[in-house]
Amino acid sequence: MSRYEEIIALRQELKRPSVFHHNRIQLRMLLWHITIRTSQTFKRLMDILLSIVAVIAGSPVFLITALLVKVTSPGPIIFSQVRVGKHGRHFKFYKFRSMYIDAEARKAELLKLNESGDGVIFKMKRDPRITPVGRFIRKFSIDELPQLFNVLLGDMSLVGPRPPLPSEVRTYTLEERKRLNITPGITCLWQVSGRSELPFSKQIALDKEYIASRSAWKDFLILLKTIPAILTGRGAW
């Protein structure tokens, strides 16, 4: 073998990862997977524990709201709707009914009055389809309480991007679909930063920010900030 060939062979050898280097990469990957799995397990356990506590503590509110919805307008107490969850999986999403039973049929005639800003989601400050009781329970997010059962079923988390409608997802760009990478939640970063006052593009930006930096501590802070957001009703339509 010539000197030149020896140099080429040595360079190729140096480019090959050593057994030590390979094992180090494998160990780092294993530790990364363990960290992610541990974080997911902890989040799920906290979701279950806090949801059970919230259901028990909030049972009088559940009962009073159910009675008010039932006696003030005809129709079911609980409104269920198909929403899109993690990785595009569909699930049944529960709320206390806050609208009249013909709300979906009347939506088409109101689309031109959409105030969401981006046109992807539908929002109106004075939506005529909302019942008087519905307006109150929506303002203070009481209508969202049945989603605690979605959390217990594993369809949702306490904190995460809000679950969209299938019709909304069909209009998403590839960038907007990133919010489907994790389990949706009852509250999220934009829910404590302005709620319906924020345009859809801003909601997406905050969801992506949450996904990129999510942690147990950040979830805890969002849950804390949710309390004053609910009590003031700021940004709730």
Side-chain angles (χ1 to χ4, degrees), residues 36-186:
I36 294 298
R37 181 65 66 180
T38 301
S39 176
Q40 291 173 340
T41 301
F42 178 75
K43 183 178 174 70
R44 180 63 185 143
L45 288 174
M46 292 308 297
D47 278 345
I48 293 171
L49 178 61
L50 293 176
S51 294
I52 290 173
V53 171
V55 168
I56 294 172
S59 55
V61 179
F62 275 87
L63 180 59
I64 293 170
T65 304
L67 288 172
L68 287 173
V69 170
K70 188 64 179 176
V71 302
T72 56
S73 67
I77 294 171
I78 299 296
F79 171 75
S80 67
Q81 190 177 50
V82 174
R83 294 291 179 105
V84 182
K86 185 177 181 180
H87 300 323
R89 187 179 66 85
H90 289 192
F91 69 94
K92 273 196 173 182
F93 169 89
Y94 302 110
K95 298 177 73 171
F96 279 119
R97 182 175 58 83
S98 60
M99 293 186 171
Y100 295 105
I101 55 175
D102 63 345
E104 285 302 307
R106 296 171 62 188
K107 183 177 178 180
E109 65 189 55
L110 297 171
L111 285 175
K112 60 181 179 294
L113 302 175
N114 189 2
E115 298 176 38
S116 70
D118 299 80
V120 178
I121 55 177
F122 179 79
K123 288 285 184 180
M124 283 183 67
K125 284 186 177 179
R126 305 206 187 302
D127 194 329
R129 302 172 302 159
I130 300 175
T131 67
V133 167
R135 200 166 299 282
F136 176 82
I137 63 175
R138 284 167 73 103
K139 182 176 179 62
F140 297 103
S141 298
I142 297 170
D143 62 321
E144 311 281 3
L145 287 177
Q147 288 158 46
L148 291 168
F149 293 100
N150 282 120
V151 174
L152 292 173
L153 290 170
D155 297 322
M156 294 176 64
S157 176
L158 290 176
V159 181
R162 293 292 291 159
L165 291 164
S167 59
E168 293 169 357
V169 173
R170 284 194 289 270
T171 69
Y172 279 10
T173 64
L174 289 176
E175 192 69 14
E176 291 165 350
R177 286 178 181 268
K178 289 180 178 178
R179 72 197 312 229
L180 303 179
N181 288 341
I182 65 172
T183 304
I186 294 179

Side-chain angles (χ1 to χ4, degrees), residues 23-39:
N23 288 341
R24 188 173 64 177
I25 292 174
Q26 292 286 4
L27 179 60
R28 288 177 64 185
M29 289 181 64
L30 177 61
L31 291 175
W32 181 80
H33 282 297
I34 291 173
T35 301
I36 294 298
R37 181 65 66 180
T38 301
S39 176

